Amino acid sequence: TGVPMLPTWTDPDRVYEYPVLVKASSGGGGRGMRIVHEPDTLAEAIASARREASSAFGDGTVFMERYVESARHIEVQIVADNQGTVVPFGERECSIQRRHQKIVEETPSPVVTNQLREQLCAAAVAVCRAVGYVGVGTVEFLLDTDDRAGGAFYFLEMNTRLQVEHPVTELVSGFDLVRLQLLVAEGSALPFNQPPPIRGHAIEVRLCAEDPASNWLPATGTLHRFHVPQVAGEFRPLPQPGLRLDSGVRDGSVVGMHYDSMLAKLVAWAP
C-alpha cells in the first residue's frame, strides 16, 4: 500500500541490525515485548517473550522489528462507511507510557506539523482502503524524532475497534464516535466526507487500580470511595470546556483480577 514499515524478521538468524524489539505476534498492551541490544541475548529474549505471549494470548508466536530509540507513538482515528467514505479525525499523541502501556493521551500532538498530519492521515486512509475497512478504528504509527530521521514514521498496527483514548478525539471534534460506529454498523452513510475542524486541545489520563509501593503493579480489592470533583459531563462530547469522566466503577465496586486495572478515564478539554 506504500505505507512505510520498519524492517522485521521472523528468523533470528536473519537479524542484521540492533537494537531490535521482540514482539508477540498476537499481542497487545505491551505484553510479550523485549528490547535486545546485542545478538548474544536475542535467544533468551525470544524464549522469555514466547512464554509471556503464550500465557497472555494463547499464542507464543513472536517476531523481531528494528527498535526506534527516539520514538513517539502517534495514532490516527478513522471512521469508514459502507459507501467507501474514509474520514481521518486527526492524530493522538500516546507517547507517555509505562511498561509499554499508555497512561496519558492527547490531541493534537505537540510535535505533529500540518504537513506531517496530512501524511499520517493519508497513510491511515490508505491502510483502511486496502482492506476495505468499515467502522471506527485507529491506525498506529511510530514517529522517529531523531533529527537524522527527517520526520520518518512507520506503521505499527491497526486497532479495528474503538479505543480507550477515543474521548480526546470526541472533545476536539465535537462528534460522538460511538454514535458514528453504530450509524455505520446499520449501513448508513457518514454525514460528512471531510475531516472535522479541530477545536482546542484535549488530554486524557487513565485512573488505574495500582499499588505505588509495589512498583505500580495492578491491585485488587474493594473501591470504598470514588469521587472526582468538578466533572462537567460523562461519556459524550462536552458543550463547553471542562472535565469529562468515563468510568466503570462507583463506591463499593470490587476490583478483580480478571480484567484490566483501569477504573476510569479523566479528560480535560479547553480552547
Side-chain angles (χ1 to χ4, degrees):
T1 64
V3 176
M5 293 186 61
L6 287 164
T8 59
W9 305 271
T10 54
D11 182 352
D13 293 332
R14 293 182 177 273
V15 176
Y16 59 82
E17 61 177 305
Y18 286 83
V20 296
L21 190 63
V22 181
K23 302 174 74 173
S25 185
S26 298
R31 306 294 297 276
M33 295 173 68
R34 302 289 187 275
I35 300 171
V36 180
H37 292 275
E38 302 291 341
D40 293 347
T41 59
L42 181 58
E44 179 185 346
I46 290 174
S48 175
R50 279 177 175 161
R51 287 193 298 269
E52 184 179 7
S54 181
S55 174
F57 312 115
D59 182 355
T61 306
V62 299
F63 67 97
M64 290 134 284
E65 156 183 292
R66 191 180 84 205
Y67 181 61
V68 181
E69 298 196 67
S70 55
R72 279 182 179 258
H73 187 134
I74 309 291
E75 59 189 31
V76 176
Q77 175 73 62
I78 62 95
V79 185
D81 64 20
N82 282 294
Q83 284 71 37
T85 302
V86 182
V87 179
F89 270 62
E91 85 284 353
R92 291 190 290 257
E93 168 82 53
C94 303
S95 299
I96 299 178
Q97 302 181 10
R98 185 178 60 221
R99 294 191 287 266
H100 304 297
Q101 295 183 340
K102 304 168 188 173
I103 53 177
V104 177
E105 300 102 350
E106 66 177 307
T107 186
S109 166
V111 300
V112 173
T113 62
N114 288 333
Q115 180 182 6
L116 180 57
R117 180 173 295 113
E118 290 181 5
Q119 294 172 342
L120 286 164
C121 289
V125 169
V127 168
C128 293
R129 291 197 184 283
V131 297
Y133 187 72
V134 174
V136 173
T138 303
V139 185
E140 303 199 346
F141 299 97
L142 274 183
L143 173 64
D144 192 339
T145 59
D146 190 308
D147 292 339
R148 295 167 295 180
F153 63 87
Y154 307 96
F155 174 78
L156 262 183
E157 65 173 355
M158 181 174 180
N159 280 294
T160 53
R161 54 178 170 80
L162 203 63
Q163 283 190 288
V164 169
E165 55 270 28
H166 79 273
V168 293
T169 299
E170 291 191 335
L171 293 180
V172 299
S173 70
F175 279 94
D176 184 332
L177 291 175
V178 179
R179 181 180 182 277
L180 290 178
Q181 181 166 260
L182 295 172
L183 192 76
V184 167
E186 291 173 340
S188 300
L190 289 171
F192 47 78
N193 56 17
Q194 294 293 326
I198 298 302
R199 316 176 306 160
H201 201 100
I203 300 178
E204 172 183 294
V205 293
R206 302 187 184 195
L207 306 182
C208 297
E210 297 175 335
D211 185 355
S214 299
N215 196 28
W216 304 95
L217 289 174
T220 58
T222 300
L223 184 65
H224 297 286
R225 179 84 169 119
F226 183 76
H227 173 66
V228 181
Q230 299 180 320
V231 169
E234 300 182 18
F235 295 104
R236 60 177 54 86
L238 299 176
Q240 59 190 23
L243 289 177
R244 165 176 163 173
L245 177 68
D246 290 8
S247 66
V249 295
R250 58 188 177 188
D251 290 0
S253 291
V254 176
V255 180
M257 61 177 288
H258 300 293
Y259 298 96
D260 190 272
S261 60
M262 188 176 66
L263 306 176
K265 304 173 289 184
L266 187 63
V267 200
W269 170 61

